[in-house]
Amino acid sequence: MVTGDRPTIYGAQCTAIEKESYVSTEPAPSAWANKALRITGPLMDGFFVRVMVVLNQAAWAEKKGVPFFVDYNVSTDPYGGGVLSGWEQYFGRLAVGVESLGGGDTGGGDNGRGSYKLVDSRVLELDCAAAWENFHSAPCIYCGSQKKALPARTLRAEQMKKWVHIRPAVSALADQVWTKATAGMAAGVPILGVHLRGTDKFLKQKVEPEQYYPFVDGWFKKHPTSRVFVATDDSTYLAKFVARYGPALVVGQGDVIRGSSENGGPNPHQTTSTSTSEAFKKGCQVLVDSICLSKASFLVKSASAVSEFAIYWNMDLMQNSYDFDLWDSPKPAWFDDQVGPPKLGGVDVEQ
């Protein structure tokens, strides 16, 4: 399960060695003394998969009493490249319990600190089979019911506070986007957050924009001077929202790299970038959307890590959100099932 070699996580070159359950309560073997778990990979996936990998393996290492550190450097990372790794570009360096092992920093991160490095003779790493089992044995992210989601989200929020700290530069970028989105609004006016996952979504059924309208219509009837912050990977979905509610009421990030559901995708965030600057831009856009959604007063979402992590950052949203993919998620009192062309601010808005 653990080896001093460095296989490619989830890649074809990996060979399964000895496998042990993620939920095992057995103590760490004596052979692991004075060694640390290196968390790395995977090769290609959505942005927040890297965070899930770190949370899951960090939790495993903590349970075993093994020091751990993140060294996320893979050449095919669609969000990585440049001076910093695919982790330190967005989050603070993570190295726990490694002080006595003699490693060091690569430099370049916040306060001059980049990835932690340790000589290979002191490195442990989950092989492919163990990493896969670890990832899928962890608490659910798409839980299916509110009852199951509550403890999973509570645990994730606690883990995020311990191990995932957004870099100040990225936080500042999110603050700029949110300030622009709320410019001119009276103090205390709540904002609705909406996340629409389109393009190549396949793990769960897509939720079309029209299914969101009863929530947004009802919200504007209750809060006529409000706005809706829309985060989406799909330009077609965004265009429908703007056509219905108008550009003054639909706010969000500008110049976002998006695909379109009209041609079935592809999602440009799932492809290798042509430059490190484009890779970093894509990663920042995903992260900023999630951070901004966490600032909303109420969130309407479907199964997607972007909006799920917004709840981890703001646990008030656990009770102030509607999730299409939780069968028992309660609709808010202001939900309006009388969908028609709404009149907002005295102006007819076309569908």
Side-chain angles (χ1 to χ4, degrees):
M1 169 181 155
V2 179
T3 175
D5 298 330
R6 190 173 185 189
T8 304
I9 298 297
Y10 299 155
Q13 300 175 25
C14 291
T15 301
I17 306 178
E18 181 185 356
K19 189 166 69 170
E20 181 180 350
S21 173
Y22 165 74
V23 297
S24 170
T25 57
E26 294 295 318
S30 58
W32 297 2
N34 298 315
K35 293 186 178 182
L37 175 70
R38 174 166 53 199
I39 304 175
T40 188
L43 295 176
M44 289 281 290
D45 218 317
F47 178 83
F48 280 106
V49 170
R50 76 197 56 222
V51 185
M52 296 300 297
V53 167
V54 168
L55 293 181
N56 295 347
Q57 293 194 24
W60 177 86
E62 183 180 66
K63 186 180 296 185
K64 290 289 188 183
V66 176
F68 60 90
F69 64 98
V70 175
D71 182 15
Y72 201 107
N73 287 285
V74 287
S75 60
T76 53
D77 181 0
Y79 303 98
V83 177
L84 301 179
S85 77
W87 182 262
E88 278 81 19
Q89 284 190 116
Y90 309 103
F91 308 106
R93 191 198 73 161
L94 181 58
V96 176
V98 299
E99 294 79 7
S100 63
L101 299 181
D105 301 316
T106 58
D110 290 330
N111 302 317
R113 304 197 310 174
S115 297
Y116 178 82
K117 297 291 183 181
L118 190 63
V119 294
D120 282 349
S121 61
R122 290 196 167 187
V123 169
L124 303 168
E125 214 173 75
L126 298 189
D127 70 22
C128 288
W132 181 260
E133 182 183 10
N134 168 268
F135 190 84
H136 290 280
S137 299
C140 57
I141 182 171
Y142 307 140
C143 297
S145 73
Q146 191 94 334
K147 182 178 180 180
K148 291 181 179 179
L150 176 60
R153 287 170 170 173
T154 300
L155 175 61
R156 289 303 186 199
E158 293 170 352
Q159 292 175 337
M160 293 286 285
K161 288 180 180 179
K162 282 197 295 186
W163 297 323
V164 182
H165 304 120
I166 302 168
R167 291 191 67 199
V170 180
S171 292
L173 181 59
D175 289 342
Q176 291 174 13
V177 171
W178 189 254
T179 298
K180 183 177 180 180
T182 59
M185 291 182 63
V189 175
I191 283 189
L192 178 66
V194 164
H195 182 234
L196 302 103
R197 176 69 167 89
T199 61
D200 61 348
K201 182 176 181 177
F202 67 94
L203 288 176
K204 298 283 187 177
Q205 186 174 354
K206 290 182 183 179
V207 180
E208 299 296 325
E210 290 79 6
Q211 294 174 261
Y212 286 79
Y213 294 165
F215 293 91
V216 183
D217 289 2
W219 178 265
F220 279 127
K221 287 181 180 179
K222 183 176 177 62
H223 305 285
T225 60
S226 183
R227 294 172 188 167
V228 54
F229 186 97
V230 175
T232 181
D233 61 330
D234 197 310
S235 60
T236 305
Y237 286 4
L238 178 61
K240 287 185 176 182
F241 255 71
V242 173
R244 181 174 179 83
Y245 299 106
L249 299 180
V250 177
V251 295
Q253 286 194 78
D255 192 29
V256 171
I257 300 170
R258 294 187 175 95
S260 173
S261 59
E262 288 187 338
N263 57 12
N267 181 353
H269 286 266
Q270 301 288 346
T271 58
T272 303
S273 299
T274 57
S275 68
T276 56
S277 61
E278 183 188 69
F280 180 63
K281 180 179 180 180
K282 290 195 300 186
C284 277
Q285 288 175 348
V286 176
L287 191 49
V288 166
D289 266 349
S290 186
I291 296 169
C292 286
L293 289 174
S294 77
K295 297 175 183 289
S297 302
F298 194 94
L299 175 63
V300 184
K301 66 185 290 294
S302 62
S304 173
V306 174
S307 46
E308 188 66 20
F309 271 79
I311 294 176
Y312 304 160
W313 276 309
N314 178 9
M315 288 298 285
D316 287 344
L317 290 176
M318 189 132 62
Q319 304 301 327
N320 292 291
S321 61
Y322 179 83
D323 192 325
F324 284 97
D325 289 295
L326 300 182
W327 70 265
D328 53 348
S329 187
K331 291 183 173 67
W334 39 263
F335 176 84
D336 182 7
D337 58 1
Q338 302 299 315
V339 176
K343 291 187 175 182
L344 304 171
V347 180
D348 287 325
V349 181
E350 295 181 357
Q351 292 197 64

